[in-house]
Amino acid sequence: MFKQLKMKIAARRVEKNKKRTAARRKTNRTAAGFWARAWDLICRPFRWMGRMARRVWDWLRTIDLIGMVNLTLLVSIIVLFSMLIIDISRCGKKTVVVVDADAVPVIVSDTPRVAASDVSPRQVKPRAVRPTLPLRRDVVAAPRPQQVVAPRYNLTGDVVVNGRGDGHMLTRGIRVQGNVYLQNMRKYVLPCDTYIDGNLFLRDVNMLQFCGDFVITGNIYVSRRSSFGPIPSTARLGGQVIL
């Protein structure tokens, strides 16, 4: 009888304690609910980043290291070969010598090449400039009278233009009666409206460029260590280009 009564009293105490604990928890939850939600919002991105980092790490652990190294080497080889092909294609577009086939005939024979220095004399000394006067010609009456004027030449004889400074200098519109030798120069620009009644020799001229129209009644001899740029379509060349 007493045991049952004690058990009922103990059960009531336990129920009272449970009610008190539940009430306290409810009060604490109500008070700390706002801060708990705020803290949860703050920590949510970091938790997501942690989960993503864990997934990435798990994915990296499953990757074969040797396969990745081989794949990286293969991609690098493909990129290097692509860059090499691009460089070769760009170099192929930059032609050192460009000759218009319609304007100037170029002869390249199977025989061993003969440089301009071998064709022309080794030591060429410029001749003294002799001013020439125009010849007088009687005008003959004709149905269509035309005045004939003899050509005037600024220089007569072989003219040497040396990059070392011990030669003549060509100017715009100059007229030369004889051969012209361009030698020992890295780059040279032939003046516009140059008239050469003879041949043009290039000896050790890395690049010859043309300012504009010019007239050469003879040939253009180009040595092995010389080159020239594109010839204008309006230029007049009486001979040929011999490499």
Side-chain angles (χ1 to χ4, degrees):
M1 188 71 180
F2 289 102
K3 290 182 179 180
Q4 293 179 357
L5 182 60
K6 289 181 179 180
M7 291 179 65
K8 288 182 180 180
I9 294 172
R12 289 178 182 177
R13 290 178 179 176
V14 171
E15 289 180 359
K16 289 181 180 180
N17 292 331
K18 287 183 178 180
K19 290 181 179 179
R20 291 176 183 175
T21 303
R24 290 176 181 175
R25 289 179 179 177
K26 186 175 180 180
T27 303
N28 294 333
R29 289 177 182 176
T30 303
F34 173 77
W35 298 108
R37 289 192 298 270
W39 181 255
D40 184 65
L41 291 175
I42 293 173
C43 295
R44 187 174 298 175
F46 296 98
R47 294 173 183 171
W48 178 81
M49 292 173 63
R51 290 194 298 269
M52 293 301 297
R54 191 180 298 108
R55 292 179 182 177
V56 171
W57 175 250
D58 295 338
W59 177 72
L60 290 175
R61 290 176 61 186
T62 59
I63 294 177
D64 187 6
L65 182 60
I66 299 176
M68 287 295 296
V69 172
N70 294 334
L71 182 61
T72 305
L73 291 176
L74 180 61
V75 172
S76 61
I77 291 172
I78 293 173
V79 172
L80 291 176
F81 270 100
S82 302
M83 296 175 63
L84 180 61
I85 292 172
I86 292 173
D87 293 338
I88 293 174
S89 61
R90 288 180 179 176
C91 293
K93 292 181 181 179
K94 296 180 180 179
T95 55
V96 178
V97 178
V98 179
V99 181
D100 190 357
D102 298 333
V104 180
V106 179
I107 297 178
V108 180
S109 61
D110 297 334
T111 58
R113 295 183 178 179
V114 180
S117 58
D118 298 335
V119 177
S120 60
R122 287 289 181 177
Q123 298 179 351
V124 179
K125 297 182 179 179
R127 299 179 182 176
V129 179
R130 296 179 297 175
T132 58
L133 298 177
L135 300 177
R136 295 183 179 179
R137 296 186 178 181
D138 297 333
V139 179
V140 180
R144 294 181 180 180
Q146 296 181 355
Q147 185 178 1
V148 179
V149 179
R152 293 185 178 182
Y153 295 99
N154 304 105
L155 300 175
T156 303
D158 296 335
V159 177
V160 178
V161 180
N162 198 336
R164 298 173 182 173
D166 53 351
H168 291 278
M169 296 299 296
L170 301 181
T171 58
R172 182 185 180 93
I174 192 169
R175 300 176 66 88
V176 180
Q177 187 180 17
N179 300 325
V180 176
Y181 298 85
L182 304 179
Q183 60 186 14
N184 302 325
M185 287 182 289
R186 182 175 177 272
K187 182 179 179 181
Y188 187 77
V189 179
L190 188 68
C192 299
D193 300 329
T194 300
Y195 186 92
I196 300 175
D197 189 5
N199 301 319
L200 176 63
F201 295 87
L202 303 182
R203 297 188 300 187
D204 296 337
V205 180
N206 294 341
M207 174 56 67
L208 172 64
Q209 296 179 351
F210 302 97
C211 173
D213 298 342
F214 64 90
V215 178
I216 298 176
T217 59
N219 300 326
I220 298 179
Y221 295 92
V222 184
S223 65
R224 297 179 181 178
R225 292 176 294 184
S226 302
S227 62
F228 59 93
I231 298 178
S233 58
T234 55
R236 294 172 58 188
L237 182 60
Q240 300 170 344
V241 177
I242 300 177
L243 304 178

